[in-house]
Amino acid sequence: MNHRAGWLAHVAEVVTKGTGEVERTADRAQVDVTFEALGAERSEAVSTLNQRISAVEPLLEEFEVRSRQLSVHDNWDNNQRVGSRASQQYVIWVKNLDRLDALLAELVQAEPSWINGPSWTLVDDTEAIREAQREAVADALRRAEGYATALGRRLGPLLRIGDTEGGAHYQPRMMSGAASFEMAGPAGMVDQLNLKAQQITVSASCTAAWSLLD
């Protein structure tokens, strides 16, 4: 039998979980907006929709449009067809946040059926995730050292480590910086909504096993 394998089979160990969190200010906003049109036939609904969004497309040229999703269907009332509806949904990413208020104001002026945003993200979360991971490992180590001290033992080498609960993730700290509404009546004053970039909480968690020495 391999001596090292035999030692590992009998070594006492302590297993701890660690968590780490860091905050970063969001540097990308996502806006979802939907335009709809009605018609007696599907082709009429699509034609009317195309006329509505023809003024919208130029507004989006300086932004990253992640998706354009078209939906066309018939409307029914008591099993009777009562015309058709066409809609197009946009998912827009805004990296130049100085342009966000202007974009929202222009979209509102175009009178969409529905608009939601901004939701906040990070363009590159690599550095923040690594810092959160470092804090998670340090937290797991502090816990392990505490248990070793409580047992009157010394903490030995790290035996294994892995993610827990999905590893690293992030989310907005607060949700007050988003607006969601159906358009009805005149466009509102978007600049009064105080849609400032939110703080993003980046978190990481790990499980680590350490050997215990005499």
Side-chain angles (χ1 to χ4, degrees):
M1 179 178 178
N2 183 282
H3 291 295
R4 177 172 176 78
W7 176 79
L8 288 175
H10 295 89
V11 68
E13 65 180 48
V14 57
V15 179
T16 57
K17 292 183 178 181
T19 58
E21 287 188 353
V22 298
E23 286 192 351
R24 295 291 185 272
T25 301
D27 54 8
R28 179 172 61 201
Q30 177 175 313
V31 177
D32 303 307
V33 61
T34 300
F35 293 87
E36 295 181 324
L38 301 175
E41 304 292 337
R42 294 184 182 183
S43 59
E44 181 182 345
V46 171
S47 178
T48 303
L49 176 64
N50 283 334
Q51 294 175 15
R52 295 199 62 193
I53 65 176
S54 63
V56 175
E57 288 291 339
L59 304 176
L60 306 180
E61 292 179 354
E62 64 179 284
F63 303 100
E64 183 176 355
V65 179
R66 297 295 294 175
S67 71
R68 292 175 175 85
Q69 184 173 356
L70 175 66
S71 174
V72 183
H73 61 87
D74 292 331
N75 291 330
W76 297 84
D77 184 13
N78 294 325
N79 295 322
Q80 296 292 320
R81 183 179 172 279
V82 289
S84 299
R85 180 187 301 269
S87 64
Q88 179 144 309
Q89 181 181 25
Y90 295 87
V91 177
I92 307 162
W93 277 4
V94 181
K95 296 180 182 179
N96 181 2
L97 299 185
D98 291 337
R99 287 284 295 129
L100 178 61
D101 284 353
L103 171 65
L104 289 172
E106 291 167 346
L107 289 175
V108 169
Q109 290 291 340
E111 297 187 349
S113 299
W114 182 83
I115 187 168
N116 181 63
S119 54
W120 301 99
T121 60
L122 297 172
V123 173
D124 185 355
D125 60 6
T126 303
E127 180 274 332
I129 288 176
R130 287 178 178 173
E131 183 174 341
Q133 289 173 327
R134 286 193 294 269
E135 290 197 7
V137 172
D139 183 41
L141 177 58
R142 286 192 296 268
R143 294 173 185 270
E145 289 173 337
Y147 285 120
T149 299
L151 292 170
R153 307 282 289 272
R154 293 182 296 118
L155 192 66
L158 176 68
L159 300 176
R160 58 186 179 276
I161 189 170
D163 286 334
T164 59
E165 300 175 0
H169 64 278
Y170 64 89
Q171 61 184 9
R173 186 180 63 184
M174 299 175 62
M175 297 302 294
S176 59
S180 177
F181 48 92
E182 291 185 357
M183 299 307 303
M189 299 298 292
V190 173
D191 58 353
Q192 296 179 6
L193 295 179
N194 193 31
L195 301 177
K196 302 301 182 183
Q198 292 182 351
Q199 292 295 110
I200 301 292
T201 299
V202 182
S203 61
S205 59
C206 68
T207 299
W210 319 77
S211 63
L212 285 173
L213 306 177
D214 294 334

